[in-house]
Amino acid sequence: MRTRFAAPVVACLVLGSGGAGAQEVTLKGITSFAEKTFYSRGFEKFIDKVNADGKGKIQINYIGGPKAMPPFEVGNALKNGVVDISNATGAFYTNVFPEADAWKLTQRPMAELRKNGGFDYMAKLYAEKMNAVFLARHIDDNPFHLYLTKPITKPDLTGLKLRITPVYREFFQALGATVVQTPPGEVYTALERGVVDGYGWPITGIFDLGWHERTKFRVDPGFYSAEVSILINKASLEKLSPEQRKVIMDAAAWLEGQAAETAKENATDTEKQKAAGIQVIEFKGADGQAFRAKAYETGWAGIIAKSPEHGPKLREFFSK
Ligand code: 173
């Protein structure tokens, strides 16, 4: 092989692949949630760690959040190498990888999915469909809820217009709602103008963008498990030297190891919502169970409809 390249080309390739003279590499990082808000914080911790551990070897240039790039375009930008590292949830990039939204349906922790084949199955799809490597899920055990500006008395959303992402679409529609998809940055205005009567969002983070001011009710129980994860473009990762790659992989493992701790924030935000006067509409007992069962049934039906090939297999790996 070597003889096919002129000497300067070989020198370049050696440097580029991180030989002895490797330069510090800077990767471009972007988040699909507003900077410094709950779902960006794990990513920001990861960047701080990489930039500290990677001094002289590898750095991440944090480009920022939705002000720099619309959240639903982040997946495509990562796939095409416009950015190297992203923080996003699967629902935000179903345009490039429909099955990614299935993460919300996991009923097993990531440590288990990394052993039972579920993670490997997804990793293969990330490589094929998105030129991506999944580094770390930093949010787990974090249920979604329906938040409303008007009360309901039973699990029937007929007549309500709700803000959604792909996470909630099938479930809320099955309960009779009309839905409108928006990125998080448009929720406040939609509530303020009365364009929607409520929205789907996890238990944490509604204070970050001021939505508590416009929210009167939270519906319990919660459903699913919010997923927010860091991905890296496959070519960007492959270009790194083993040493540079180790900085990234170690920071990723460190971050994912703390995912369960985010659950502590569930209790904090639940209390904060109460203090803010948000009333809980709770479906108790069999009603609550039926509400949650409907969420999973419609959620999986949605994934399987979009991916008859992979949906049923993911259901086996992810469900309990
Ligand atoms: O509601 C949303 O924007 C959404 O889909 C989501 C997913 C994970 C965490 C936070 C929000």
Side-chain angles (χ1 to χ4, degrees):
M1 281 293 280
R2 281 179 81 110
T3 53
R4 284 175 47 203
F5 296 111
V9 175
V10 172
C12 267
L13 287 174
V14 170
L15 283 180
S17 67
Q23 303 273 313
E24 183 180 274
V25 167
T26 301
L27 302 177
K28 269 190 228 159
I30 191 129
T31 174
S32 40
F33 294 92
E35 279 173 68
K36 298 202 166 67
T37 61
F38 185 71
Y39 293 101
S40 287
R41 237 171 267 153
F43 184 50
E44 289 161 356
K45 265 168 58 179
F46 170 84
I47 292 175
D48 288 347
K49 183 163 172 63
V50 168
N51 289 350
D53 297 351
K55 280 212 172 69
K57 291 181 231 163
I58 183 161
Q59 296 288 290
I60 298 173
N61 173 19
Y62 186 27
I63 293 168
K67 286 195 188 114
M69 184 182 288
F72 299 153
E73 286 173 26
V74 165
N76 210 22
L78 186 89
K79 177 179 179 175
N80 296 327
V82 171
V83 295
D84 303 294
I85 293 206
S86 68
N87 181 57
T89 184
F92 289 5
Y93 52 88
T94 53
N95 51 337
V96 281
F97 179 16
E99 294 87 350
D101 187 34
W103 285 124
K104 71 188 178 194
L105 299 164
T106 54
Q107 293 175 306
R108 301 172 189 280
M110 286 303 278
E112 194 179 330
L113 295 174
R114 282 188 186 262
K115 287 187 199 134
N116 82 352
F119 179 84
D120 293 342
Y121 196 95
M122 281 296 263
K124 196 162 168 277
L125 297 180
Y126 271 94
E128 282 169 18
K129 301 199 172 203
M130 215 177 161
N131 302 323
V133 174
F134 187 102
L135 289 177
R137 175 175 185 167
H138 58 92
I139 299 290
D140 204 350
D141 282 328
N142 183 236
F144 292 97
H145 287 264
L146 167 61
Y147 297 89
L148 294 169
T149 59
K150 300 172 178 168
I152 53 171
T153 54
K154 51 185 190 328
D156 179 357
L157 307 177
T158 308
L160 294 176
K161 190 162 177 193
L162 302 175
R163 173 271 173 185
I164 58 146
T165 65
V167 166
Y168 327 90
R169 179 182 295 277
E170 281 82 8
F171 181 37
F172 291 176
Q173 279 181 333
L175 295 178
T178 302
V179 297
V180 48
Q181 179 161 308
T182 83
E186 288 170 26
V187 172
Y188 189 93
T189 311
L191 289 167
E192 187 180 36
R193 295 192 184 152
V195 172
V196 295
D197 307 306
Y199 57 95
W201 192 260
I203 189 67
T204 43
I206 71 158
F207 295 89
D208 280 336
L209 300 177
W211 304 343
H212 61 290
E213 293 167 8
R214 303 274 161 188
T215 304
K216 293 216 172 73
F217 305 94
R218 184 186 74 240
V219 176
D220 281 9
F223 49 92
Y224 308 155
S225 182
E227 166 270 332
V228 180
S229 307
I230 303 176
L231 310 178
I232 186 166
N233 175 277
K234 205 162 162 283
S236 305
L237 183 66
E238 282 164 2
K239 265 185 240 156
L240 302 179
S241 70
E243 235 192 336
Q244 290 165 334
R245 203 173 302 184
K246 186 171 185 314
V247 173
I248 296 286
M249 300 316 279
D250 286 355
W254 169 83
L255 188 69
E256 191 171 281
Q258 299 170 54
E261 284 177 33
T262 54
K264 284 186 203 145
E265 315 261 356
N266 297 353
T268 309
D269 265 40
T270 305
E271 275 307 305
K272 252 179 107 174
Q273 289 183 17
K274 194 172 166 191
I278 295 173
Q279 296 171 54
V280 178
I281 298 169
E282 186 179 1
F283 301 133
K284 296 197 174 103
D287 283 352
Q289 278 171 15
F291 182 75
R292 276 176 60 87
K294 186 96 182 156
Y296 282 93
E297 179 196 315
T298 55
W300 277 117
I303 298 291
I304 291 166
K306 282 176 211 98
S307 182
E309 186 187 353
H310 304 298
K313 291 189 185 119
L314 293 172
R315 185 176 197 164
E316 277 173 40
F317 287 124
F318 287 1
S319 302
K320 266 224 159 109

